[in-house]
Amino acid sequence: DLLWYFSDYSTNQLLTSIKTQDLIPKTFGTDFNYNNLMYAALEPIIEDMSDLSFSEYMQQKIFSPVGLLETRLIENGAFRFSDNAAFDCNDTVLKRLMSIKGASGIISNLDDMTKYLMQYLNPKDPDFHKIIETVQHRNVDINAPNPIIFNGLEWIENPGYGLGWFIGAFHGSKIVFVMGLIDGYTSLMAFLPEHKIGAVVLTNLNLSPIPGQIMNKVFSTVLGHESKAIWKSDPKEETGNHNLSG
């Protein structure tokens, strides 16, 4: 990820630079290695196969069918959090995300993310049945979970990776989850397919364990389990400042 995080490379420049990089693991698809470059690669593939721009494709095939009225792709430059009156992130500016829009270039809100999650719990679009079966298929194991990426998610057992989603166990039940980490926020979406429950947790601080710890508390309370979450520090220090707008 350092290829895009500390550069102004375009998507094409990123994909060209991959050719000169050593693969980790050496055999593609045999082990998990956190990165966003494969999402960057999806953008030109989708555009070539659909004859639509990536933004048009996402709007027509994902956002509109699911009813995501407030969700959009970043089109130009960086997104400044102070542009959103609901949050105070000390004018945090995201890194330039145009080159990896498929991974971190979507702007949404809690209402739309909840609508999207509900498609996995109670799909109304027939195409989502195929998506649900695909993302829940475990492709690789994660033998040594990254403590930064899995900060606050230590309670998830036997983590693995499917297709864009992580897969693990929670008190013997399958849990499917995905986290978002970037300047200014940490997000977590997770669901338990066997129990038909899920949740979205957002906070305006990068690398925060709070979403994972809250998710554990929610699922434990609903299912009657003892919460395994360990509060490592004062939650107020981990969540940053926020202003709720009516």
Side-chain angles (χ1 to χ4, degrees), residues 5 36 42 46 49 55 63 68-69 79-80 89 96-97 101 166 171 182 187 195 197 207 232 236:
Y5 194 79
N36 289 295
L42 279 176
I46 287 174
M49 296 185 66
S55 295
F63 301 159
L68 309 184
L69 303 179
F79 175 77
R80 183 183 294 274
C89 290
R96 190 176 186 276
L97 301 175
K101 286 191 292 185
F166 293 90
H171 291 279
I182 194 66
S187 65
H195 299 280
I197 61 172
L207 301 174
K232 300 178 180 178
K236 293 181 179 180

Side-chain angles (χ1 to χ4, degrees), residues 26-221:
K26 296 296 182 180
T27 304
F28 188 81
T30 60
D31 198 3
F32 174 78
N33 181 37
Y34 182 87
N35 75 90
N36 289 295
L37 297 179
M38 295 300 96
Y39 284 96
L42 279 176
E43 182 179 343
I45 292 173
I46 287 174
E47 291 182 337
D48 183 64
M49 296 185 66
S50 67
D51 290 327
L52 297 170
S53 70
F54 185 62
S55 295
E56 290 172 336
Y57 182 89
M58 292 298 294
Q59 187 65 49
Q60 294 181 24
K61 303 297 183 179
I62 303 295
F63 301 159
S64 293
V66 180
L68 309 184
L69 303 179
E70 302 296 328
T71 300
R72 68 189 189 280
L73 280 160
I74 295 175
E75 294 298 341
N76 296 297
F79 175 77
R80 183 183 294 274
F81 276 94
S82 59
D83 293 340
N84 186 334
F87 291 96
D88 173 16
C89 290
N90 299 319
D91 287 336
T92 297
V93 178
L94 286 168
K95 293 292 187 295
R96 190 176 186 276
L97 301 175
M98 294 298 292
S99 59
I100 56 160
K101 286 191 292 185
S104 300
I106 298 175
I107 301 300
S108 190
N109 60 24
L110 186 60
D111 287 341
D112 273 10
M113 293 178 72
T114 302
K115 289 180 183 177
Y116 184 75
L117 174 61
M118 287 301 297
Q119 285 293 324
Y120 287 89
L121 299 176
N122 185 26
K124 297 179 180 179
D125 188 331
D127 289 338
F128 259 83
H129 285 284
K130 299 177 182 178
I131 295 175
I132 292 170
E133 293 177 358
T134 302
V135 301
Q136 293 188 46
H137 178 71
R138 186 186 186 97
N139 291 323
V140 296
D141 294 330
I142 302 177
N143 298 317
N146 187 311
I148 296 177
I149 303 302
F150 283 82
N151 190 19
L153 298 170
E154 296 85 356
W155 49 274
I156 294 179
E157 305 161 355
N158 192 27
Y161 192 67
L163 186 63
W165 291 77
F166 293 90
I167 299 165
F170 175 72
H171 291 279
S173 297
K174 177 184 288 186
I175 180 171
V176 183
F177 61 102
V178 63
M179 71 290 287
L181 307 164
I182 194 66
D183 306 322
Y185 75 81
T186 299
S187 65
L188 177 63
M189 180 183 292
F191 64 96
L192 303 171
E194 299 169 22
H195 299 280
K196 296 291 184 180
I197 61 172
V200 177
V201 183
L202 310 176
T203 185
N204 53 329
L205 187 69
N206 190 16
L207 301 174
S208 173
I210 296 299
Q213 294 168 334
I214 290 177
M215 191 72 71
N216 175 270
K217 184 66 175 179
V218 169
F219 287 163
S220 296
T221 300

